[in-house]
Amino acid sequence: MGNRIGMADGTTVEARLAAAGRGDLVVDLRSAADAPDAVRQWLHEPSAMRSFGAHVPRWTYHLHRSTTVPAREYDGLAYVATSTSSRLLPPDGAP
């Protein structure tokens, strides 16, 4: 089993998406005009988003945040509830 980075706190974009339902989801922000007022407000205000790439620093990952306004910066969001660490492929490319 790989390292766990833990759940995001309730103020981040990913925590809000996790709270919206169980499992993976894709949200089309272009159709947000039909969303409830509270959702539209949240999409247009600055929110924290955890931000790291292929390498997640073991001890300081919780400090890697950026500020985003989801409706302004994205057409959609994809949330993956559970993922695993990457693994090297064998030299012949077989899984």
Side-chain angles (χ1 to χ4, degrees):
M1 181 175 235
N3 295 328
R4 295 185 179 269
I5 61 169
M7 296 294 295
D9 68 49
T11 63
T12 63
V13 171
E14 86 183 84
R16 296 278 181 109
L17 293 174
R22 298 178 191 256
D24 303 341
L25 56 97
V26 175
V27 180
D28 180 359
L29 298 183
R30 297 169 299 177
S31 63
D34 298 332
D37 290 343
V39 173
R40 282 183 296 159
Q41 179 180 345
W42 172 72
L43 290 172
H44 288 89
E45 64 188 26
S47 297
M49 179 181 274
R50 293 198 300 185
S51 177
F52 31 74
H55 173 72
V56 179
R58 185 174 186 161
W59 305 110
T60 61
Y61 71 86
H62 59 280
L63 301 174
H64 290 250
R65 293 178 179 234
S66 60
T67 301
T68 185
V69 177
R72 181 174 42 186
E73 299 183 34
Y74 301 101
D75 290 329
L77 296 170
Y79 174 74
V80 178
T82 303
S83 66
T84 60
S85 302
S86 60
R87 297 179 300 278
L88 291 174
L89 290 174
D92 65 359

